[in-house]
Amino acid sequence: MKKCGTLFSLFVLMAVIAAGVAEAGTLTLTFKYKNSAGVEQPLSYSYVYLRNAANEPPMEKFFSPADLISPPSTSTGVVTITNVPEGNYYIRATRRNPLASRPLGPPEPGDYMWNQTEPITITAGTTNLGIKYAWIFGSAPITISGTVKNWSGTPLAGRYVKATIEPCIQDGYGGALTNYCGPEKHLALQRTDANGNYTLFLRDPGTFYIYESTCLGDKHQEYSGNACIGYSTGPVTVNMGRTRL
């Protein structure tokens, strides 16, 4: 009986271990860039960043800390990251351009970058996203720029400015909040420089609401006592090119 009990305990332990392995998956993709002639170029030394969407969503998808970072891509641009816990993730791939001594971190102007606009689901087994083509960060076809000043005209440095496709909720009273800033809360965000200037990079034309604040959370409530009091513009419609507010 003792031997049987020992074998049963070992079987249970192995089943638990197997169950733990089954709850993790593998993510792979091939990262490439098309040059001006349309020729594909594999991007080696690229990294894929995963942010778990089950946690508090990132303030915006480019600069928030990653929960998981892949090993560098191969010479053919293949990135593989294993033991990814099952769940939904925001994903971006970045490769320094040119290669720098600091290969990791948020994208910088000129870097090759691709990002998933909505979270993807990782399950047991392999999730293959196929070939993903990079764009040059900071070279988006649409930019919105402006200057944040106070009532007396003094530029405000270090203010957060973001774009949303729907108005953010303006008060937090009454219980449940069902629409904080629309379905895409993390479209674009920058901080103003020492002179209060900012530039938002957008990939697609459309109508946007621009918000600025000392801090911008998902709820973006603006009521008495809230430390994140800020201001917004009305709807701004932009096509291709540059818009100055």
Side-chain angles (χ1 to χ4, degrees):
M1 290 296 296
K2 182 176 181 181
K3 182 177 180 181
C4 181
T6 301
L7 290 175
F8 178 75
S9 298
L10 180 60
F11 173 78
V12 171
L13 177 61
M14 292 177 66
V16 170
I17 293 174
V21 172
E23 293 176 354
T26 297
L27 174 70
T28 184
L29 62 86
T30 302
F31 199 36
K32 294 185 177 182
Y33 176 71
K34 288 185 178 181
N35 63 20
S36 58
V39 178
E40 293 185 356
Q41 298 178 336
L43 294 173
S44 58
Y45 298 104
S46 303
Y47 292 85
V48 169
Y49 301 77
L50 282 73
R51 170 82 176 188
N52 195 325
N55 300 330
E56 181 70 15
M59 184 159 27
E60 62 82 44
K61 56 182 171 282
F62 296 149
F63 299 98
S64 300
D67 294 312
L68 295 168
I69 302 177
S70 74
S73 62
T74 67
S75 60
T76 58
V78 175
V79 180
T80 302
I81 180 169
T82 59
N83 296 321
V84 180
E86 289 185 325
N88 299 318
Y89 293 88
Y90 294 97
I91 296 177
R92 74 170 164 89
T94 302
R95 195 262 209 184
R96 297 293 188 211
N97 181 31
L99 282 175
S101 58
R102 186 176 66 84
L104 296 172
E108 298 174 351
D111 287 350
Y112 296 105
M113 202 189 88
W114 170 85
N115 67 279
Q116 184 78 9
T117 57
E118 296 293 338
I120 73 159
T121 301
I122 303 294
T123 58
T126 299
T127 301
N128 190 339
L129 300 183
I131 297 176
K132 297 301 178 184
Y133 293 100
W135 49 280
I136 301 298
F137 186 69
S139 66
I142 299 169
T143 64
I144 297 177
S145 59
T147 304
V148 176
K149 299 180 180 180
N150 67 8
W151 62 272
S152 65
T154 301
L156 298 176
R159 305 283 287 197
Y160 290 100
V161 181
K162 77 173 179 180
T164 67
I165 59 175
E166 292 186 14
C168 292
I169 284 179
Q170 297 298 301
D171 77 85
Y173 297 112
L177 297 173
T178 57
N179 175 18
Y180 297 158
C181 290
E184 177 55 85
K185 297 183 285 291
H186 321 298
L187 192 65
L189 182 145
Q190 289 287 338
R191 298 189 76 177
T192 58
D193 61 18
N195 297 313
N197 298 320
Y198 68 88
T199 297
L200 300 176
F201 300 107
L202 300 165
R203 294 294 297 171
D204 300 302
T207 299
F208 306 95
Y209 296 82
I210 311 301
Y211 286 85
E212 70 82 22
S213 180
T214 55
C215 51
L216 285 171
D218 277 351
K219 298 178 183 179
H220 196 76
Q221 300 101 321
E222 297 180 6
Y223 55 87
S224 179
N226 189 340
C228 287
I229 292 176
Y231 301 92
S232 67
T233 69
V236 177
T237 300
V238 294
N239 295 310
M240 309 304 282
R242 180 179 299 273
T243 296
R244 178 78 183 180
L245 296 182

